[in-house]
Amino acid sequence: MRVMAQLAMVMNLDKCIGCHTCSVTCKQAWTNRSGTEYVWFNNVETRPGQGYPRQYQDQEKWKGGWKLDRRGRLTLKSGSRMKRLLNIFANPDLPTVSDYYDPWSYDYDNLLSSPAMDTTPVARPKSLITGEDTKITWGANWDDDLGSGPEQVGRDPLLSKLSDQVKLEFEQTFMFYLPRICEHCLNPSCAASCPSGAIYKRAEDGIVLVDQDKCRGWRQCVTGCPYKKIYFNHKTGKAEKCTFCYPRVEVGIPTVCSETCVGRLRYIGVMLYDADAVLEAASATDDRDLYPAQLGVFLNPHDPRVIAEAERAGISPEWIQAAQDSPVYKLIVDYQIALPLHPEYRTMPMVWYVPPLSPVVDVLSETGHDGENVANLFGAIDALRIPVEYLAELFTAGEVGPVRAALQRLAGMRAFMRSINLGQEPDLSIPESVRLAPEEIEAMYRLLAIAKYEHRYVIPSGATSRAHELDSLATGCSLDVDGGPGMTAFDAMDDKFHLTDTNGAAPEEKSSRVNLLNWDGRSTEGLLPSRNGSNGNGHNGSGGRSGHGNGAAVNGSGTTIPEPSKVAR
């Protein structure tokens, strides 16, 4: 047993309202630069829908993730090393920019500088690639609220597997929101695909990063990632991806998308796992066995033997304590209501989801039944507007059982806690029916419904003894300037994280902006106008730090990825 620690995230889809606040704040913090106009490290998809990029889940087309060869060995779906070498200059399995969307802006100058006229001036859409007038036909959230209509939604790759069970009639269809970030997998196919060894998994916290100095822009990682969460910056010629906001989590602050989430649906915590068991779990013969196989990889942080092995592996007591208090471990292992996204890709993803139960209560109430009655709730799960089969295709490789069990536990929690909140005698048969103790249901309710900030985010500080210098350390991001890749984070001593550019669209007195990357979620400096009329300097906290991995990581193919000397974004 080789114990390692991994920061993981769980999202409660019952709470997501599709406001895209997480996407906007992530965009502001990480991809508001030239060359990343089409890039969204965090995006919120409406299901059913084609997703972003278009039909990214169709791995027969895009060749992402892993598969088993005829000998039962794990191999990249994009092909052997020789095949990938032959395609290195002309990769046929890459999404085009149009599959993401052609980025555009609007001719705002026509609005601002138009003379007085009888008609209202128009801000026509302009392509950010050619600068010419363009027609908007696709976007990162084009499926939002089924706005694209049945002719587009019907192209969802998962719906094609459910044609017998699901009739996609537009006026009677179902929908829910699915926020997505990089999965920071235990068995990342992107790292195994990279010819340069530029992608590595940090040994101390499991975050997967791209070393900008080593990246040569081969784009094999874009093909290799089945979630299509690695993007190519066409200006810098480098690959970029979600960084799990490592400058924030290193000092115990949650990611920007979590901090700003309106629905408070995200949870961050530490998972301990057996690194020696990852390959065997990812090599399960049947796709439907991959979810329980990954559960078997996770280790109980309360087990004395696991604690002893973790200490022997150099994991600090702070991280072990964080693993014991982890809300993610509770949702994934203790309550088993969180499920992985597409385990059949065999990457062992570490961003999990609580499947959506709503709007089952409203539907039951409309029929004249008590929507909170446990008998009605359990009976309605298989008749949800969101088909259980569709959720199973998303989260358990088509195996309906775990999805039904998770939904039954959520329904049982609603019914059990309703009786308590109304001062009634609770029905003790409910916890027994979902294989949980009454106190476990109450703890699950507190975590899902009314959890405090410190209970949703249990993040040990990964900063070193120099953490006290972060506030005064002037660091820069090598991608913030032209010719940036190859610079170290310390080559530019001005504070690059202090964002002040507004593309000339704001008056000088209102041109500064708050840097969301460094925002602690509490300070209002720069957010509100000061008494003298200025909105502050927009700087809150540290300037960030460059990320360093402590040791080498092993990718899914068994090769060791050496630690880069430095990394920027």
Side-chain angles (χ1 to χ4, degrees):
M1 178 171 60
R2 183 161 59 99
V3 181
M4 296 190 74
Q6 165 94 30
L7 281 173
M9 181 183 291
V10 168
M11 303 189 208
N12 183 1
L13 299 185
D14 243 354
K15 286 187 170 183
C16 185
I17 61 174
C19 66
H20 299 275
T21 303
C22 53
S23 300
V24 172
T25 51
C26 176
K27 184 74 172 174
Q28 163 72 12
W30 290 106
T31 59
N32 62 347
R33 295 164 281 106
S34 177
T36 60
E37 292 87 353
Y38 78 102
V39 173
W40 297 83
F41 288 169
N42 183 111
N43 70 289
V44 181
E45 299 171 357
T46 298
R47 291 279 138 196
Q50 296 188 64
Y52 163 77
R54 212 181 315 219
Q55 295 187 319
Y56 72 92
Q57 296 167 112
D58 184 1
Q59 301 312 324
E60 296 303 317
K61 178 179 181 181
W62 301 121
K63 306 294 190 296
W66 302 87
K67 67 176 181 178
L68 297 179
D69 62 14
R70 281 180 282 185
R71 297 183 180 180
R73 296 178 304 183
L74 208 60
T75 183
L76 289 170
K77 198 159 189 175
S78 56
S80 65
R81 185 174 301 179
M82 179 59 67
K83 179 182 178 182
R84 286 183 283 117
L85 181 62
L86 293 175
N87 291 336
I88 199 167
F89 293 108
N91 188 348
D93 303 320
L94 280 175
T96 65
V97 171
S98 296
D99 287 318
Y100 295 95
Y101 68 92
D102 295 295
W104 75 88
S105 184
Y106 294 94
D107 187 7
Y108 294 111
D109 183 65
N110 191 47
L111 293 180
L112 300 175
S113 60
S114 292
M117 59 180 65
D118 295 334
T119 58
T120 302
V122 176
R124 297 185 181 278
K126 296 281 187 179
S127 170
L128 289 176
I129 298 177
T130 65
E132 303 296 328
D133 288 350
T134 187
K135 183 178 180 181
I136 302 171
T137 58
W138 190 251
N141 61 339
W142 199 261
D143 293 319
D144 200 11
D145 294 344
L146 305 179
S148 59
E151 68 281 355
Q152 294 286 358
V153 176
R155 296 177 185 173
D156 182 339
L158 299 187
L159 281 178
S160 62
K161 302 179 182 179
L162 304 173
S163 57
D164 294 335
Q165 296 104 331
V166 179
K167 294 182 179 179
L168 188 64
E169 298 179 9
F170 185 63
E171 67 277 7
Q172 297 177 353
T173 192
F174 62 94
M175 56 161 283
F176 62 96
Y177 299 109
L178 181 72
R180 289 203 307 120
I181 64 172
C182 168
E183 298 286 331
H184 296 277
C185 307
L186 298 181
N187 184 34
S189 54
C190 59
S193 301
C194 179
S196 312
I199 302 177
Y200 73 110
K201 187 174 179 66
R202 300 208 307 188
E204 67 268 31
D205 54 20
I207 296 176
V208 178
L209 296 174
V210 181
D211 183 348
Q212 294 293 307
D213 286 345
K214 286 190 174 182
C215 179
R216 295 295 176 263
W218 297 117
R219 287 175 271 190
Q220 295 286 335
C221 56
V222 179
T223 298
C225 175
Y227 304 97
K228 294 296 174 277
K229 276 300 175 181
I230 293 189
Y231 305 91
F232 183 70
N233 186 323
H234 292 268
K235 182 175 183 180
T236 65
K238 305 286 184 176
E240 299 186 33
K241 64 177 294 298
C242 160
T243 65
F244 212 82
C245 290
Y246 68 85
R248 295 173 60 93
V249 299
E250 283 178 352
V251 291
I253 304 175
T255 62
V256 166
C257 60
S258 300
E259 184 84 74
T260 59
C261 176
V262 173
R264 301 183 181 181
L265 59 95
R266 300 186 187 225
Y267 302 79
I268 298 177
V270 175
M271 297 289 288
L272 299 181
Y273 69 96
D274 183 1
D276 290 335
V278 171
L279 180 60
E280 181 182 355
S283 303
T285 305
D286 191 338
D287 288 351
R288 300 190 177 198
D289 293 333
L290 287 165
Y291 162 62
Q294 187 169 357
L295 280 181
V297 170
F298 299 137
L299 300 173
N300 184 353
H302 302 282
D303 187 334
R305 189 170 66 95
V306 172
I307 295 174
E309 288 293 332
E311 291 173 345
R312 190 174 293 110
I315 298 175
S316 68
E318 183 186 10
W319 277 71
I320 296 174
Q321 183 62 49
Q324 293 172 345
D325 298 335
S326 172
V328 171
Y329 181 84
K330 293 181 177 69
L331 296 171
I332 292 176
V333 179
D334 287 345
Y335 309 140
Q336 294 192 9
I337 58 173
L339 304 169
L341 182 65
H342 289 300
E344 69 272 19
Y345 297 160
R346 300 177 182 271
T347 60
M348 303 281 113
M350 291 301 288
V351 177
W352 289 41
Y353 296 86
V354 177
L357 184 63
S358 58
V360 62
V361 173
D362 293 336
V363 173
L364 286 171
S365 300
E366 290 172 2
T367 64
H369 295 84
D370 183 354
E372 301 283 357
N373 183 278
V374 65
N376 294 337
L377 278 173
F378 282 4
I381 284 177
D382 286 328
L384 286 174
R385 282 185 67 188
I386 304 173
V388 177
E389 293 83 4
Y390 186 87
L391 296 175
E393 290 293 341
L394 268 178
F395 301 124
T396 53
E399 180 60 45
V400 174
V403 177
R404 184 183 288 116
L407 294 175
Q408 285 178 343
R409 290 189 170 185
L410 293 171
M413 179 191 71
R414 287 189 179 188
F416 186 77
M417 294 307 302
R418 180 205 190 195
S419 60
I420 293 178
N421 292 333
L422 293 178
Q424 301 171 353
E425 188 68 24
D427 183 357
L428 296 180
S429 67
I430 296 176
E432 183 180 351
S433 65
V434 295
R435 302 186 302 281
L436 289 175
E439 56 271 18
E440 287 182 304
I441 285 193
E442 293 191 44
M444 185 170 73
Y445 166 75
R446 287 194 298 271
L447 185 59
L448 291 177
I450 52 178
K452 294 182 178 180
Y453 185 93
E454 59 270 19
H455 297 153
R456 286 185 285 126
Y457 310 127
V458 182
I459 307 171
S461 174
T464 65
S465 58
R466 297 176 65 242
H468 65 281
E469 302 176 19
L470 286 176
D471 283 338
S472 59
L473 188 63
T475 63
C477 174
S478 65
L479 295 181
D480 274 348
V481 294
D482 289 340
M487 289 176 54
T488 70
F490 300 96
D491 283 339
M493 294 308 292
D494 57 323
D495 184 3
K496 293 297 182 183
F497 285 162
H498 178 192
L499 300 175
T500 57
D501 60 294
T502 54
N503 298 323
E508 289 186 8
E509 65 272 14
K510 296 183 178 181
S511 61
S512 61
R513 294 184 293 178
V514 173
N515 178 13
L516 293 174
L517 180 62
N518 301 325
W519 185 45
D520 60 6
R522 299 175 180 86
S523 171
T524 59
E525 180 183 354
L527 292 174
L528 302 174
S530 60
R531 291 184 178 180
N532 60 9
S534 171
N535 66 338
N537 60 10
H539 179 66
N540 290 284
S542 71
R545 66 180 283 193
S546 60
H548 297 268
N550 295 332
V554 179
N555 65 22
S557 62
T559 58
T560 300
I561 305 173
E563 175 199 352
S565 59
K566 54 188 172 291
V567 67
R569 285 195 187 171

